Amino acid sequence: LFNEPETTSVFAHDYFAKVFEKARQSDPQHRPMTGALEKNSSPEKCQCYMLCDFMCLNRYYGWYINGGTGITDAMDQFRDEMNRWSKVNPGVPVVFTEFGSDTLSTEHKIPSVMWSQEYQVDYLERNFEVFDAYDFIQGELVWNFADFQTTEGIFRVNGNKKGIFTRQRQPKDAAFVMKKRWEKK
């Protein structure tokens, strides 16, 4: 019912409680309801996670949070957050609705550096290790299937490049990593 809103205030809780209540009243099938929480919606600060039947988290540890040489520290921070969620919301399933790293399809570097295909593969594999360490993590949706155009700016090189496929639908190395993961599950 939401994607990355401000959820750390009492106002946010009161507002979204009404949204969830109305949605539940309007759904004769009683489907599970959720919203996607961004990084500021931490276990200690979020006022809305308890409204969700299952939680969706958008996290970019190793990209926006301690990217590059800080990726090992980022994974420690990621595990710390998951440990904290396990205490405040035990038994509630979590689905990662966004995680990923920008990658130029032409960029290869060893050792891996941000924007290289090798870094995207490393990033994904490290995230998988965290996901697999927690039983309550029940799903993962990489951001994004394919690169796409965005507005111009200094943070992106001609669009969002977090795709596991290029904008022309050619596979990056990460596509084969995802294929291997999906086939073993």
Side-chain angles (χ1 to χ4, degrees), residues 38-56:
E38 56 86 40
K39 179 65 174 95
N40 290 329
S41 300
S42 67
E44 300 78 21
K45 294 180 183 176
C46 185
Q47 301 294 309
C48 297
Y49 70 84
M50 67 289 298
L51 301 171
C52 300
D53 296 311
F54 64 99
M55 288 178 30
C56 290

Side-chain angles (χ1 to χ4, degrees), residues 99-119:
F99 70 103
S101 65
D102 280 284
T103 305
L104 297 174
S105 62
T106 57
E107 192 71 18
H108 289 278
K109 290 281 173 96
I110 295 177
S112 73
V113 297
M114 292 178 83
W115 293 91
S116 70
Q117 288 206 53
E118 290 76 13
Y119 188 86

Side-chain angles (χ1 to χ4, degrees), residues 145-163:
F145 165 75
D147 296 344
F148 60 93
Q149 190 61 55
T150 59
T151 58
E152 291 183 74
I154 61 171
F155 297 109
R156 296 209 163 100
V157 180
N158 194 26
N160 189 304
K161 301 288 192 254
K162 289 184 185 71

Side-chain angles (χ1 to χ4, degrees), residues 11 15 22 35 51 57 61-62 66 77 83 85 98 101 108 114 119 122 149 151 164 180 182-183:
F11 171 81
Y15 174 81
K22 183 65 174 172
L51 301 171
L57 299 177
Y61 287 100
N66 280 339
Q77 290 172 304
N83 291 336
W85 276 119
E98 285 186 28
S101 65
H108 289 278
M114 292 178 83
Y119 188 86
D122 186 35
Q149 190 61 55
T151 58
I164 61 171
K180 182 178 175 184
W182 293 334
E183 287 177 344

Side-chain angles (χ1 to χ4, degrees), residues 1 9 19 73 80 82-83 87-88 106 121-122 138 148 154 164 171 177:
L1 298 175
S9 68
V19 170
D73 292 336
D80 177 65
M82 292 305 98
N83 291 336
K87 292 177 182 141
V88 300
T106 57
V121 165
D122 186 35
Q138 295 293 306
F148 60 93
I154 61 171
I164 61 171
V177 171

